Amino acid sequence: MLRKRIPRQDDGIIYGLVEKLLLPFARQTVPDLRVGRTDIIKRLKSCDTYVDTAAGRLPVGFIALRVDRDKRLSVDMLAVNPKFQGRGIGTHLMRQAERTAGERGCREVVLWVDDANTQAQTFYVRKGYDTVHYDARLRCYMMMKRLG
């Protein structure tokens, strides 16, 4: 089941997913990167965040979204617990992103993915996203999908 983030209930699990699944890629580019729970919670506050609770009440995956100045929806973060990957949860979360984009009048969904995260790149390509830019300093690809 997909629902909006409940901070007191979800933020610890979301932070754990970020720490385990996303930050290791960022630290390949910036080895001394220090990101704490308060940094992640601050980021989440500026986003619409949805969680998937396939395992009951607690989230097994999440997606954080924001609309930028150009009326594009940006996927700020997405992570799914490895024990639940391959069950359609990431697909479900990306559908929510595209649904939210449509509701907000956005014609594009954009995201950044680390160049070392080939599993995520493959996932996004399968969802119809194209690489539109590479930032060598960040070692990240910008991917985009235009919505009909």
Side-chain angles (χ1 to χ4, degrees):
M1 183 176 108
L2 199 64
R3 63 168 170 76
K4 286 276 228 169
R5 163 184 161 253
I6 302 169
R8 288 181 187 226
Q9 181 174 317
D10 301 332
D11 286 358
I13 294 168
I14 290 172
Y15 177 70
L17 291 171
V18 171
E19 181 67 33
K20 182 178 181 180
L21 302 173
L22 302 179
L23 290 178
F25 291 108
R27 288 186 179 119
Q28 289 180 18
T29 305
V30 184
D32 297 334
L33 180 66
R34 300 279 182 256
V35 178
R37 185 180 169 124
T38 55
D39 299 311
I40 297 303
I41 291 170
K42 183 178 177 182
R43 242 169 108 169
L44 292 171
K45 284 181 181 178
S46 69
C47 294
D48 289 328
T49 303
Y50 297 88
V51 298
D52 192 303
T53 58
R57 276 187 8 170
L58 299 177
V60 296
F62 79 97
I63 191 165
L65 310 168
R66 80 168 49 105
V67 177
D68 67 21
R69 286 175 257 140
D70 298 324
K71 286 295 279 181
R72 293 188 306 189
L73 185 100
S74 295
V75 175
D76 186 31
M77 295 181 281
L78 179 143
V80 176
N81 183 320
K83 293 178 184 176
F84 294 89
Q85 290 177 5
R87 298 185 188 183
I89 293 168
T91 298
H92 198 214
L93 292 166
M94 288 304 293
R95 279 194 203 119
Q96 179 63 46
E98 293 172 15
R99 204 170 20 255
T100 300
E103 292 167 359
R104 302 278 174 84
C106 300
R107 298 192 183 271
E108 301 170 341
V109 177
V110 297
L111 56 93
W112 288 88
V113 61
D114 293 280
D115 64 3
N117 194 347
T118 56
Q119 180 180 356
Q121 291 167 38
T122 300
F123 170 79
Y124 294 125
V125 167
R126 281 194 220 130
K127 303 297 170 227
Y129 288 74
D130 296 308
T131 300
V132 294
H133 175 71
Y134 179 73
D135 186 318
R137 185 180 58 83
L138 296 175
R139 294 172 41 192
C140 288
Y141 294 99
M142 176 191 253
M143 299 183 81
M144 179 177 66
K145 181 176 183 179
R146 295 188 198 287
L147 304 176

